[in-house]
Amino acid sequence: MSSRFNSTIRVAGACLAFAITAFSSLALAKEEEEHEHERGIRPIPLLPLYQQECASCHIAFPPGMLPASSWQRIMNNLKHHYGADASLDEAAVKQLEQWLTTVTNRTQPLPEPPEDRITRSAWFVHTHHEVAASVWSRPAIKSAANCAACHNAADPGNFSEHYVRIPAVKP
């Protein structure tokens, strides 16, 4: 009877350990999803015009990475778009600005970052605080704005830490 009891206890303990592990994994995944949702960087269907115009030079940054006011200023100053002329016709600007601000307004409000730069936003700085300045200047990365250099799933809008691979320094 004692060995049967011990066997039952071992099986119950193993089941409990499995349940705790499974629950913890689900809870962590849910927490990560909620954290990304709070920042508004969950993958959303992109406006084809946004994909065509903006993603031709850099990744199509998820609209929730900036507040609506930042997107408005960016869209109204495309002639001086971070050192490049990204001018578009008036109709395209209007369509893109409306889409960006509408989508952004569905997420939790964000404070305006300095110079409307995603890389200077409070959430970006907090999330990347452990990344040394020397990492950003690696030839394969070049700048903090090159998300896809480290975030392997950035193009479809997935910035999960599970898909981060920081390029090594080549000897």
Side-chain angles (χ1 to χ4, degrees):
M1 177 104 167
S2 173
S3 83
R4 184 181 228 187
F5 179 76
N6 287 339
S7 178
T8 303
I9 292 297
R10 274 188 298 226
V11 169
C15 288
L16 180 60
F18 175 77
I20 289 171
T21 302
F23 179 75
S24 296
S25 296
L26 288 173
L28 287 173
K30 180 72 174 160
E31 182 180 318
E32 182 175 300
E33 180 181 315
E34 288 172 358
H35 184 63
E36 288 186 354
H37 180 69
E38 286 171 8
R39 290 196 322 252
I41 59 174
R42 290 196 50 178
I44 61 164
L46 297 178
L47 183 71
L49 180 62
Y50 182 67
Q51 184 74 34
Q52 174 188 327
E53 296 296 342
C54 303
S56 65
C57 295
H58 52 72
I59 69 163
F61 296 109
M65 288 185 158
L66 287 172
S69 55
S70 290
W71 286 118
Q72 288 168 331
R73 281 189 294 278
I74 290 168
M75 293 308 301
N76 289 303
N77 194 23
L78 290 175
K79 183 128 176 95
H80 305 284
H81 185 67
Y82 305 106
D85 183 350
S87 298
L88 298 170
D89 66 77
E90 192 175 322
V93 170
K94 185 176 180 178
Q95 184 181 2
L96 287 168
E97 182 180 341
Q98 180 180 7
W99 178 76
L100 286 164
T101 57
T102 300
V103 172
T104 300
N105 284 332
R106 292 183 188 152
T107 62
Q108 187 177 39
L110 295 172
E112 295 177 3
E115 301 169 3
D116 297 319
R117 290 183 180 270
I118 292 169
T119 58
R120 300 212 34 219
S121 65
W123 68 263
F124 184 95
V125 171
H126 173 75
T127 303
H128 297 84
H129 72 277
E130 74 281 359
V131 180
S134 61
V135 172
W136 299 123
S137 63
R138 290 180 184 172
I141 299 173
K142 297 182 182 149
S143 83
N146 186 8
C147 304
C150 301
H151 292 271
N152 298 335
D155 279 332
N158 185 337
F159 294 85
S160 166
E161 288 186 17
H162 299 291
Y163 298 104
V164 172
R165 300 292 178 271
I166 299 174
V169 176
K170 293 186 180 182

